[in-house]
Amino acid sequence: KAGVTQTPRYLIKTRGQQVTLSCSPISGHRSVSWYQQTPGQGLQFLFEYFSETQRNKGNFPGRFSGRQFSNSRSEMNVSTLELGDSALYLCASSLRQGYNGYTFGSGTRLTVV
Amino acid sequence: AQKVTQAQTEISVVEKEDVTLDCVYETRDTTYYLFWYKQPPSGELVFLIRRNSFDEQNEISGRYSWNFQKSTSSFNFTITASQVVDSAVYFCALSEAIRTQAGTALIFGKGTTLSVSS
């Protein structure tokens, strides 16, 4: 059974650019959450999607957005990149909303220069 | 507000030593879930355990054991006879139980880096 797949694994972008990260959940999982991990702030919740709807959002600026497709795959987008957006972005999937068993992917390492 | 504190930033032990990772949490909810995750250098968060607030039974899984005490708001994790492969960052996390259509989020501690040398 395939795990949570995140692409790409590594990304280098320039300040001011935008970036899109992709997450394919475990087959059958309908809930996808995104987290940002930095050395200073640790792991912080970005947002959660279920049935193509954003159900919860963390305390991040509007430059961070996401969406979920009908096949449960999810993308997150960061516009107008800042140096502080450099981080490991982790995606987690679970069977259904409210089911607290999360499986995480290996993450996308974003570096903003 | 919810909060998870892992006071130990780094722990170094020698193989076969027992080690306990501390986790203290804060929440106003009576129903919540606690988790431990392991993050090896590859970056993926590996699920270790989930415990709900109504289940204070301690759990043992091989060399791993967990001690949940609501009276002290703690959920500590012990590795018995540590091995080099246990070297990783360990995170404790908390989430509230979902009540409405709103989603849930994991609140993570800052993590404890465990280094096991041979």
Side-chain angles (χ1 to χ4, degrees):
Chain A
K1 189 176 183 182
V4 177
T5 303
Q6 291 188 247
T7 56
R9 284 298 310 275
Y10 301 93
L11 207 50
I12 300 176
K13 288 287 187 179
T14 303
R15 241 181 335 174
Q17 287 186 313
Q18 75 163 15
V19 66
T20 299
L21 311 181
S22 178
C23 172
S24 293
I26 289 174
S27 178
H29 284 197
R30 297 175 61 194
S31 174
V32 174
S33 302
W34 289 88
Y35 290 81
Q36 180 196 64
Q37 184 176 21
T38 60
Q41 299 300 315
L43 279 155
Q44 293 185 287
F45 171 74
L46 280 157
F47 24 66
E48 178 184 17
Y49 286 87
F50 180 79
S51 292
E52 302 177 63
T53 302
Q54 187 180 90
R55 302 292 181 169
N56 198 4
K57 189 176 191 305
N59 189 25
F60 278 82
R63 299 185 297 107
F64 291 82
S65 63
R67 59 178 176 169
Q68 186 180 34
F69 301 96
S70 58
N71 62 358
S72 295
R73 190 177 70 86
S74 176
E75 288 181 347
M76 69 162 281
N77 183 277
V78 188
S79 62
T80 318
L81 284 166
E82 300 177 359
L83 296 179
D85 297 332
S86 295
L88 178 65
Y89 290 89
L90 290 161
C91 168
S93 76
S94 62
L95 270 173
R96 58 185 182 273
Q97 184 187 1
Y99 176 70
N100 286 279
Y102 300 94
T103 303
F104 282 81
S106 296
T108 293
R109 172 79 60 186
L110 172 66
T111 302
V112 182
V113 298
Chain B
Q2 294 179 306
K3 185 179 178 182
V4 176
T5 301
Q6 295 180 255
Q8 305 149 308
T9 306
E10 294 183 20
I11 299 177
S12 295
V13 298
V14 178
E15 230 177 357
K16 297 184 184 175
E17 279 187 43
D18 297 347
V19 58
T20 295
L21 309 181
D22 297 332
C23 173
V24 174
Y25 62 92
E26 295 176 30
T27 180
R28 287 174 292 188
D29 278 357
T30 55
T31 303
Y32 52 88
Y33 297 89
L34 294 165
F35 302 78
W36 275 95
Y37 282 89
K38 172 182 179 180
Q39 187 175 42
S42 60
E44 181 177 349
L45 283 171
V46 178
F47 170 81
L48 296 177
I49 189 171
R50 179 189 66 170
R51 175 65 80 228
N52 73 54
S53 53
F54 297 109
D55 183 3
E56 283 193 77
Q57 265 192 322
N58 291 332
E59 177 145 345
I60 298 175
S61 176
R63 297 184 297 107
Y64 296 169
S65 62
W66 290 269
N67 183 297
F68 176 28
Q69 292 195 334
K70 286 179 75 170
S71 60
T72 56
S73 296
S74 66
F75 187 42
N76 297 336
F77 172 33
T78 297
I79 302 175
T80 302
S82 60
Q83 299 176 1
V84 173
V85 293
D86 295 327
S87 297
V89 183
Y90 291 85
F91 291 95
C92 180
L94 164 73
S95 80
E96 296 177 333
I98 186 169
R99 297 185 201 85
T100 68
Q101 288 300 305
T104 59
L106 289 173
I107 307 300
F108 285 90
K110 294 292 188 185
T112 297
T113 300
L114 174 64
S115 298
V116 182
S117 57
S118 57

